[in-house]
């Protein structure tokens, strides 16, 4: 997951209906656009691997603790600290009645579980769980356990209740005098609650650690298992692979281990050996996203889950180059060799016989058979491509020397283009790596415009793993844009071998990143519109592309039109001498701010005022402070602005082509913490970068900014020198399709995305194929802004049949829809 991007920001069943009855006829002829799809069933397209689509799990948005990991007690081992979050203490999520203190001394449970609670006689500690509390369901069983020690023995009273009273019969546990031991009890909930509290009370002084409450019904009923509803939502996708554990967790923080020699380093990169073995011996760690990770969900559990759902495991290991804003190459040969050996040990843990050193550890955890690991990724979104690749080559050489069958995956940085991307791809291509991981988070517009991205990739070069992608939202319009893009992924299945939307999970009360595929709280979960799109594609892949073509949408392009604007981002800046001149030389706007700013409309945040004949935005902590002036119908003009940074983190923003608050272009000069400049296009609030260069802005210096707009060509000048230019003439094509064949069923799968407000009446030519007259139809159709919530599923699949199939037939695809026709070939 890219921090840069963050700032940049089985199918359901229903009554079987005739498609002609299920889909209302358009009310007016102008609401229908005509298209044609031509299929060539005699031609052979690329093979689609079973692993084409998968999922990427990163512990972001509390996806693990408080999420997929079924533990109900938060901070169960009292290890929370300010290293995790400045607001944390060792008693975060706990309330003490009486006397208690968290200790870190020689009386601890073990060296890797360093803190414990010393509870005084007659005292109690109550845990608040996650979200609104500990969620339980009437009649279900919950397993309680605790490690305890009492010098003179004690009795613990364990209760589960909410504000309404008891949720289960209390349990009493006798703690013996013989040192640390694990004690257990079983609760059966007597009613349903999402606001429960677990209390442990002691009648004598007692040390406590690893206080746990686990639902008996976990996914596949695994011990130390997964929350059932969340795991089932992943399983329902039938993913081909599971990429884990990150993301920024992998390539941030210290690369040291958790030991006395490292000073018990708490801000470490995710290292697999910390996460295996008995849970009470697993090392805790600070999570990059601002909380604690207990590692109860660790590598063994990831491998087991992948196996349970029939997916290929795909772990990611640190490359000793940090990213996600840290961007430092670790220069320590001994440490590098240790991490390379850890990677070799990981492969042995996954695949080695039970007699091997690490295979024996796996067998001791309950899995004597190997996990059949075939792919491993080194690094994640490194912004230092040369330093990363030097280390990657050492990892790859060591892995392939010992395990020549292993595919070692590299990456291309955090963006879809730019100097880091280009450098990384050249290094990967020259070294003939197996596969390169690309990540990007762009606007729906970008996804509609770039369906052809992989058409021109070198067929003989490294394959592509699209490991993280998403458009900027969870509305159906985002899912439509992603679906349109996925048709291009499938068409290029000989290049794009793996793809996964990201992030996978978000706990609604702990969100660091949005959008996300599946949302949840402590008692419910729901798939987003994007989830429904992914599910439709992942459960209807096919195994080979059938070549096909389609006509496009006419009249998508006109000149860039719009008003002009000024803005800042975490910066105070002053503007003067704004002039907009038409292509004919006529003046459209001239403002030297010698009087007032009445021509400007403030549509953003911040504080604007006239100061000494300049228009000044004074709040250097405000983001997107836009003011705008002019006519949205303006086109073919020159914009001049004199801009001066006064204070703050970044530079200034000059906007053009401004239609409204969510649709505009702006030249972001000195953005990204004053490290680069770029032109960004906002479409419905989502931004994508059109051109970028490194560079910074000096405080107090006046810059002359000139932007020339001609048709869809834009040229930009800084202090009279041409800075760059671009032509925004790539159509955001809303009608996309791909056809695949399912050898198992003998069906052609015609997949059509219509991401526009008009229905698409389409002539389909199957190229003379002999087909059945009836097709099974699955349709996702909804309003563009429709979203799924805990209580409402506005975007859901609908199944029907269509009886008009022939070698040539006509089908009207609804407005704002994704339609899959499964047609039996004879």
């Amino acid at each position: 997951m890219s921090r840069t991007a963050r700032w940049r920001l089985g199918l359901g069943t229903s009554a079987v209906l005739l498609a002609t009855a299920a889909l209302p006829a358009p009310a007016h002829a102008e609401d229908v656009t005509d298209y044609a799809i031509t299929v060539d069933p005699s031609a052979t397209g690329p093979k689609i691997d079973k692993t084409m689509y998968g999922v990427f799990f990163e512990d972001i948005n509390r996806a693990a603790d408080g999420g997929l990991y079924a533990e109900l007690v938060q901070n169960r081992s009292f290890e929370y600290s300010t290293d995790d979050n400045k607001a944390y203490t060792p008693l975060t999520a706990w309330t003490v009645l009486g006397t208690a203190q968290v200790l870190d001394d020689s009386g601890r449970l073990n060296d890797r579980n360093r803190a414990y609670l010393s509870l005084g006689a007659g005292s109690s500690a109550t845990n608040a769980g996650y979200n609104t509390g500990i969620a339980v369901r009437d009649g279900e069983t919950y397993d309680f356990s605790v490690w305890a020690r009492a010098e003179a023995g004690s009795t613990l009273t364990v209760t589960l209740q909410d504000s309404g009273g008891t949720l289960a019969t209390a349990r009493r546990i006798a703690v013996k005098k013989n040192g640390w031991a694990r004690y257990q009890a079983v609760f059966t909930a007597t009613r349903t609650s999402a606001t429960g509290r677990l209390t442990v009370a002691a009648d004598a002084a007692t040390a406590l650690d690893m206080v746990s409450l686990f639902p008996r019904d976990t996914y596949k009923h695994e011990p130390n298992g997964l929350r059932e509803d969340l795991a089932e939502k992943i399983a329902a996708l039938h993913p081909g692979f599971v990429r884990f554990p990150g993301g920024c967790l992998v390539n941030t923080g210290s690369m040291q281990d958790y030991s006395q020699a490292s000073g018990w380093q708490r801000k470490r990169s995710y290292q697999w050996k910390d996460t295996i073995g008995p849970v009470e011996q697993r090392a805790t760690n600070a999570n990059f996203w601002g909380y604690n990770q207990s590692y109860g969900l660790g590598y063994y559990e990831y491998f087991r889950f992948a196996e349970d759902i029939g997916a290929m495991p795909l772990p990611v290991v640190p490359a000793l180059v940090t990213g996600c804003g840290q961007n430092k190459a670790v220069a320590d040969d001994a440490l590098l060799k240790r991490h390379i050996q850890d990677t070799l040990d990981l492969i042995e843990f996954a695949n080695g016989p039970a007699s091997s050193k690490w295979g024996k550890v796996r067998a001791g955890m309950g899995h004597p058979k190997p996990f059949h690991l075939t792919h491993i990724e080194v690094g994640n979104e490194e912004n230092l491509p040369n330093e990363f690749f030097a280390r990657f080559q050492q990892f790859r050489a060591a892995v392939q020397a010992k395990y020549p069958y292993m595919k070692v995956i590299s990456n291309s940085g955090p963006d879809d283009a730019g100097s880091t991307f280009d450098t990384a791809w050249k290094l990967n291509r020259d070294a003939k790596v197996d596969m390169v991981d690309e990540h990007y988070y762009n606007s729906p517009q970008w996804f509609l415009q770039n369906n052809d991205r992989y058409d021109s990739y070198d067929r003989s070069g490294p394959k592509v793993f699209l490991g993280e992608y998403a458009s900027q939202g969870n509305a159906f319009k985002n899912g439509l844009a992603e679906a349109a893009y996925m048709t291009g992924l499938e068409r290029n299945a000989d290049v794009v071998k793996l793809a996964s939307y990201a992030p996978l999970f978000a706990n609604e009360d702990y969100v660091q990143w949005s959008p996300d595929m599946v949302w949840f709280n402590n008692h419910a979960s729901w798939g987003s519109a994007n989830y429904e799109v992914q599910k439709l594609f992942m459960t209807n892949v096919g195994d080979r592309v059938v070549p096909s073509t389609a006509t496009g949408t006419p009249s998508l392009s006109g000149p860039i039109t719009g008003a002009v604007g000024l803005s800042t981002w975490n910066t105070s800046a002053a503007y003067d001498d704004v002039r907009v001149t038409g292509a004919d030389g006529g003046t459209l706007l001239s403002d030297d701010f010698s009087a007032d700013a009445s021509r400007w409309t403030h549509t953003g945040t911040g504080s604007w005022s006239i100061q000494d004949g300049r228009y000044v935005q004074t709040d250097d902590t405000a983001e997107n402070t836009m003011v705008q002036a002019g006519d949205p119908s303006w086109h073919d003009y020159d914009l001049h602005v004199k801009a001066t940074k006064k204070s703050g983190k970044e530079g200034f923003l000059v906007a053009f082509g401004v239609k409204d608050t969510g649709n505009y272009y702006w030249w972001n000069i000195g953005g990204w913490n004053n490290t680069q400049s770029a032109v960004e296009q906002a479409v419905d609030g989502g931004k994508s970068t059109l051109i970028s260069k490194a560079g910074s802005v000096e405080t107090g210096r006046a810059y002359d900014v000139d932007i020339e707009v001609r048709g869809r060509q834009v040229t930009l000048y800084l202090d009279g020198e041409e800075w760059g230019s671009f032509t925004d003439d790539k159509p955001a094509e809303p009608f996309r399709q791909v056809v695949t064949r399912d050898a198992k069923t003998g069906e052609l799968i015609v997949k059509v995305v219509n991401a526009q407000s008009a229905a698409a009446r389409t002539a389909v030519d199957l190229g003379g194929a002999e087909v059945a007259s009836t097709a099974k139809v699955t349709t996702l159709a909804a309003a563009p802004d429709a979203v799924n919530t805990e209580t409402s599923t506005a975007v859901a699949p609908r199944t029907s049949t269509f009886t008009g199939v022939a070698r040539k037939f006509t089908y009207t695809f609804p407005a704002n829809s994704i339609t899959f026709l499964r047609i039996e070939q004879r």
Side-chain angles (χ1 to χ4, degrees), residues 487-669:
T487 66
L489 301 183
E490 292 191 6
R491 186 176 65 251
N492 290 285
D494 56 331
V495 169
V496 183
K497 307 303 288 184
L498 307 169
S500 50
Y501 179 100
L504 177 57
F505 283 129
N507 187 324
E508 66 175 355
D509 290 340
Y510 307 93
V511 180
Q512 290 88 37
W513 187 290
S514 183
D516 304 283
M517 196 195 300
V518 176
W519 290 78
F520 66 93
N521 50 39
N522 66 355
H523 63 278
S525 59
W526 55 99
S528 65
N530 318 68
Y531 173 86
E532 296 297 343
V533 170
Q534 293 292 322
K535 185 177 178 182
L536 182 59
F537 274 83
M538 292 167 79
T539 55
N540 292 276
V541 181
D543 46 40
R544 188 171 291 279
V545 175
V546 180
S548 61
T549 58
T551 55
T553 304
S555 303
L556 281 176
S557 293
I560 292 174
T561 61
V564 298
L566 309 171
S567 189
T568 60
W569 198 286
N570 287 326
T571 305
S572 172
Y575 295 93
D576 202 357
D577 297 335
V578 177
R579 295 191 305 273
V580 182
T581 308
D584 61 359
T587 298
L588 301 175
L589 174 70
S590 179
D591 201 337
D592 63 5
F593 303 108
S594 58
D596 56 33
S598 59
R599 300 181 187 184
W600 297 83
T601 302
H602 186 189
T603 59
T605 64
S607 178
W608 290 85
S609 61
I610 300 292
Q611 296 182 11
D612 300 323
R614 299 189 297 176
Y615 202 18
V616 182
Q617 198 293 114
T618 55
D619 185 348
D620 61 11
T621 63
E623 299 178 348
N624 196 4
T625 65
M626 180 87 83
V627 291
Q628 62 189 66
D631 191 328
S633 67
W634 282 352
H635 62 88
D636 296 291
Y637 56 74
D638 296 334
L639 167 62
H640 170 81
V641 178
K642 190 175 287 292
T644 306
K645 173 182 176 178
K646 294 173 68 65
S647 65
K649 296 180 179 179
E650 305 206 349
F652 31 80
L653 299 139
V654 179
F656 56 98
V658 179
K659 292 182 173 62
D660 53 46
T661 56
N663 295 274
Y664 54 85
Y665 302 80
W666 67 19
W667 188 4
N668 187 349
I669 305 173

Side-chain angles (χ1 to χ4, degrees), residues 137 248 268 781 826:
R137 287 190 173 88
C248 287
R268 310 182 307 283
R826 296 189 170 176

